[in-house]
């Protein structure tokens, strides 16, 4: 049971359910207490011990079901095909020309003994070290090794014999047995791969998303990537809370410290610091929600709003041609729903950066000051409308700093209807932003320069 529980904990960690060594020992104590006779009781007891949050409990339940129903040959063979054959005749033919292992496999199939089949596969799986499987290449190798270990290639040799070819019914049965065993072995290895390598079923594409462009991510995986975004934002926020706590402590006020500690014979028990008051700043995020940028904008907004407790005052705006503020949506509806509604309302028009800049000036020009930061996210492609560089210049002159995040490479900024060459001189930094790491890196820099 210790080995089984250790494998189950490994599967949980692969499914993004964090389980510490101490919790593993607690889980082992639970198993010894409740036993394994009642699966529902075992599942509920382990869930109380190993899963903490609601999301973790949901992933735990899915992983538990998959882990303890992972045996091979879950699908029964076709009875209609086996019913009309003489089992003893088939076994007699195999006894004359096949190995003992293949005879055992075929006999178990003919007698519908799937437990014996599953046990044979488990034995072979341990021999080929299925627990070391870590990639798709390993999966193909282990499938081939299991098929070889069950002596299945001998069926190919039997089918080449003339007396087998002349018996159409027997040849058909042997071909079906070969196909059936291959399918069940592949299914078993797929289950093992999911539990050991990709228990969530989506880790591979998530890893690919972190390395590739976010605008190529299928919408069906947004929820999983959102969870990654929250984790990254939480880690970054924790780091900056510690930095801010140290920076806000100020400079040691030596005179006051000595004065307050006279009663302790000069021992410095109470330290006093000179603190410099900082005025709160405001960050204005302006996102192009046209089709070419909308997916990246989605993850940028989610990332920034997950930093709300360490980021200064945050106001968000969206546009494709006309621009509007969407800060209220985040306050009232939550992040995911607000992003979807903002894209639906503001992402339909033909992109016009000049018109959007004019709208931004009309909305916030009087509120901008030297404590404000403007962040633009967009590819800068304005469909040959007027760029209104004069408005961009006016906005940049009123604020502390302007950042621009662009999903396109710098080499493309001067091509076609791109306006980046016109806007770049008024920005403190213009960075390429296509990956989740780009968003994380920018957020880290933003927290540093705005605190």
């Amino acid at each position: 049971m210790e080995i089984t529980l250790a494998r189950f904990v490994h599967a949980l960690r692969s499914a993004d359910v964090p389980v510490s060594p101490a919790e593993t020992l607690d889980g082992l104590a639970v198993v010894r207490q409740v036993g394994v006779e009642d699966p529902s009781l075992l599942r509920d007891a382990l869930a109380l011990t190993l899963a903490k949050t609601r999301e973790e409990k949901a992933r735990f339940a899915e992983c538990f079901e998959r882990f303890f129903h992972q045996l091979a040959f879950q699908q029964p063979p076709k009875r209609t095909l086996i019913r009309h054959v003489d089992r003893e005749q088939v076994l007699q033919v195999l006894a004359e020309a096949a190995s003992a292992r293949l005879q055992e496999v075929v006999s178990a199939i003919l007698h519908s003994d799937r437990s014996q089949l599953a046990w044979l596969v488990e034995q072979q799986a341990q021999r080929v070290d299925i627990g070391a499987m870590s990639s798709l290449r390993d999966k193909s190798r282990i499938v081939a090794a299991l098929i070889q270990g069950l002596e299945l290639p001998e069926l190919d040799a039997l089918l080449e014999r003339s007396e087998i070819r002349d018996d159409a019914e027997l040849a058909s049965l042997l071909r079906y047995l070969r196909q059936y065993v291959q399918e069940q072995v592949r299914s078993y290895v797929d289950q093992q791969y999911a539990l050991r390598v990709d228990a969530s079923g989506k880790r591979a594409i998530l890893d690919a998303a972190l390395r590739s462009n976010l605008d190529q991510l299928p919408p069906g995986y947004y929820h999983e990537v959102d969870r990654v975004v929250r984790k990254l934002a939480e880690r970054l926020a924790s780091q900056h809370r510690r930095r801010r706590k140290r920076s806000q402590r100020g400079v040691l006020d030596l005179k006051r410290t000595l004065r307050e500690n006279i009663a302790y014979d000069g021992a410095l028990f109470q330290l006093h610091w000179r603190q410099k008051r900082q005025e709160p700043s405001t960050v204005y995020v302006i996102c192009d929600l046209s089709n070419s940028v909308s997916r990246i904008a989605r993850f940028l907004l989610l990332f920034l709003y997950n930093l709300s407790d360490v980021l200064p005052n945050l106001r968000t705006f969206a546009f494709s041609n006309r621009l509007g503020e969407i800060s209220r949506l985040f306050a009232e509806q939550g992040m995911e729903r607000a992003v979807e509604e903002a894209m639906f309302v503001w992402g339909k028009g033909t992109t016009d950066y000049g018109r959007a800049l004019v709208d931004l000036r009309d909305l916030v020009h009087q509120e901008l000051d030297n404590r404000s930061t403007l962040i633009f996210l967009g590819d800068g492609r304005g469909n040959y409308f007027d760029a209104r560089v004069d408005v961009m210049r006016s906005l940049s002159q009123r604020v502390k700093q302007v950042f621009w995040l662009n999903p396109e490479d710098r080499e493309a900024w001067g091509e076609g209807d791109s306006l980046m060459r016109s806007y770049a001189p008024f920005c403190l930094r213009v960075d390429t932003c296509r990956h989740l790491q780009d968003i994380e890196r920018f957020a880290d820099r933003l927290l540093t320069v705005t605190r």
Side-chain angles (χ1 to χ4, degrees):
M1 192 60 213
E2 290 83 352
I3 296 175
T4 303
L5 182 64
R7 292 173 179 170
F8 180 53
V9 168
H10 178 77
L12 287 175
R13 290 170 179 164
S14 180
D16 289 333
V17 179
V19 181
S20 68
E23 290 170 337
T24 303
L25 294 177
D26 292 340
L28 183 58
V30 167
V31 173
R32 289 171 176 165
Q33 186 68 29
V34 304
V36 297
E37 291 79 9
D38 187 341
S40 298
L41 177 61
L42 177 63
R43 180 195 60 211
D44 296 341
L46 286 177
L48 290 172
T49 308
L50 304 180
K52 279 75 72 178
T53 67
R54 182 175 300 177
E55 289 185 355
E56 288 180 8
K57 290 184 183 299
R59 293 195 292 273
F60 174 93
E62 180 182 357
C63 189
F64 183 93
E65 188 69 20
R66 295 172 66 180
F67 183 86
F68 289 102
H69 293 80
Q70 59 178 307
L71 298 178
F73 292 93
Q74 295 186 13
Q75 295 296 326
K78 293 180 180 178
R79 296 182 179 179
T80 54
L81 186 62
I82 296 175
R83 185 182 304 154
H84 300 293
V85 301
D86 186 341
R87 296 183 178 89
E88 297 304 324
Q89 178 188 359
V90 175
L91 294 177
Q92 182 63 33
V93 171
L94 293 176
E96 297 173 357
S99 64
R101 176 53 53 85
L102 182 60
Q103 294 178 48
E104 191 176 7
V105 170
V106 173
S107 176
I109 296 176
L110 294 179
H111 293 92
S112 298
D113 190 353
R114 286 185 286 152
S115 297
Q116 177 65 16
L117 289 168
W119 173 242
L120 292 173
V121 172
E122 288 287 342
Q123 285 183 313
Q124 292 300 321
Q126 298 307 316
R127 291 192 181 99
V128 300
D129 195 14
I130 196 171
M133 180 170 50
S134 60
S135 67
L136 291 173
R137 182 178 300 176
D138 292 337
K139 187 167 75 167
S140 301
R141 174 182 61 81
I142 289 175
V143 168
L146 288 178
I147 290 176
Q148 185 71 34
L150 296 175
E151 308 293 351
L152 203 61
E154 291 186 10
L155 286 178
D156 296 324
L158 285 173
L159 287 168
E160 294 297 325
R161 299 178 61 168
S162 58
E163 61 269 24
I164 301 295
R165 290 201 305 267
D166 294 340
D167 190 337
E169 187 175 295
L170 180 58
S172 176
L173 174 65
L174 293 180
R175 281 193 292 270
Y176 168 72
L177 293 178
R178 179 184 59 186
Q179 177 186 355
Y180 172 68
V181 174
Q182 289 176 343
E183 290 177 350
Q184 295 305 305
V185 167
R186 290 194 182 96
S187 176
Y188 169 77
V189 175
D190 285 341
Q191 294 173 17
Q192 296 296 318
Y193 178 83
L195 286 167
R196 288 174 165 81
V197 181
D198 194 11
S200 68
K202 298 180 179 180
R203 174 161 299 187
I205 197 165
L206 279 176
D207 291 342
L210 297 178
R211 295 190 301 268
S212 61
N213 298 348
L214 287 174
D215 58 1
Q216 298 175 357
L217 184 71
Y221 293 91
Y222 282 178
H223 178 71
E224 294 295 325
V225 177
D226 288 351
R227 191 157 52 86
V228 176
V229 168
R230 293 189 187 94
K231 286 185 177 180
L232 293 175
E234 181 179 352
R235 183 182 64 188
L236 187 61
S238 177
Q239 294 172 355
H240 278 270
R241 288 190 199 100
R242 291 194 295 269
R243 296 178 192 174
R244 181 169 296 182
K245 185 176 181 179
R246 289 194 298 267
S247 65
Q248 289 181 344
R249 186 171 59 185
V251 180
L252 181 65
D253 188 337
L254 185 58
K255 292 182 180 180
R256 186 180 176 190
T257 298
L258 292 174
R259 184 169 59 250
E260 294 292 338
N261 288 275
I262 291 176
Y264 308 114
D265 295 329
L268 304 182
F269 285 106
Q270 298 179 4
L271 301 181
H272 295 274
W273 309 86
R274 290 198 299 268
Q275 296 181 348
K276 182 178 179 181
R277 182 181 178 185
Q278 294 184 349
E279 295 294 332
S281 58
T282 303
V283 175
Y284 299 82
V285 183
I286 302 96
C287 292
D288 177 1
L289 295 187
S290 59
N291 290 333
S292 57
V293 195
S294 60
R295 295 184 181 181
I296 298 177
R298 181 185 192 280
F299 294 114
L300 174 66
L301 291 173
L302 287 175
F303 206 114
L304 293 180
Y305 271 92
N306 273 286
L307 298 173
S308 57
D309 60 335
V310 292
L311 197 65
N313 300 329
L314 181 64
R315 295 180 62 181
T316 49
F317 302 81
F319 73 94
S320 52
N321 48 19
R322 300 307 299 262
L323 177 141
E325 185 168 3
I326 59 174
S327 306
R328 179 181 55 81
L329 294 178
F330 286 89
E332 296 177 355
Q333 300 185 16
M335 287 180 289
E336 291 85 354
R337 188 173 178 183
V339 168
E340 299 299 334
E341 183 169 340
M343 291 181 179
F344 178 78
V345 175
W346 300 100
K348 294 182 176 179
T350 303
T351 308
D352 184 349
Y353 276 79
R355 177 71 262 178
L357 288 173
V358 171
D359 291 341
L360 180 65
R361 181 190 61 185
D362 295 342
L363 287 172
V364 301
H365 191 267
Q366 297 303 319
E367 303 173 27
L368 301 178
D369 55 29
N370 60 0
R371 296 287 301 164
S372 303
T373 297
L374 290 181
I375 302 171
F376 289 89
L377 173 66
D379 56 8
R381 295 196 172 274
N383 292 296
Y384 300 100
F385 290 112
D386 186 358
R388 295 306 304 264
V389 176
D390 58 319
V391 179
M392 185 66 179
R393 180 188 298 109
S394 173
L395 294 172
S396 66
Q397 290 173 347
R398 292 186 62 87
V399 300
K400 177 182 179 181
Q401 54 210 351
V402 179
F403 297 101
W404 195 296
L405 303 177
N406 194 319
E408 292 188 346
D409 292 322
R410 290 179 178 270
E411 292 76 10
W413 290 359
E415 299 177 355
D417 59 344
S418 176
L419 303 172
M420 287 308 303
R421 295 288 176 84
S422 301
Y423 294 147
F426 306 105
C427 303
L428 178 64
R429 290 183 62 100
V430 180
D431 295 323
T432 302
C433 181
R434 287 196 301 265
H435 307 88
L436 201 53
Q437 291 91 334
D438 297 332
I439 296 177
E440 182 184 16
R441 192 179 303 115
F442 169 74
D444 188 14
R445 185 185 308 119
L446 178 66
L447 291 174
T448 302
V449 300
T450 56
R451 67 184 182 190

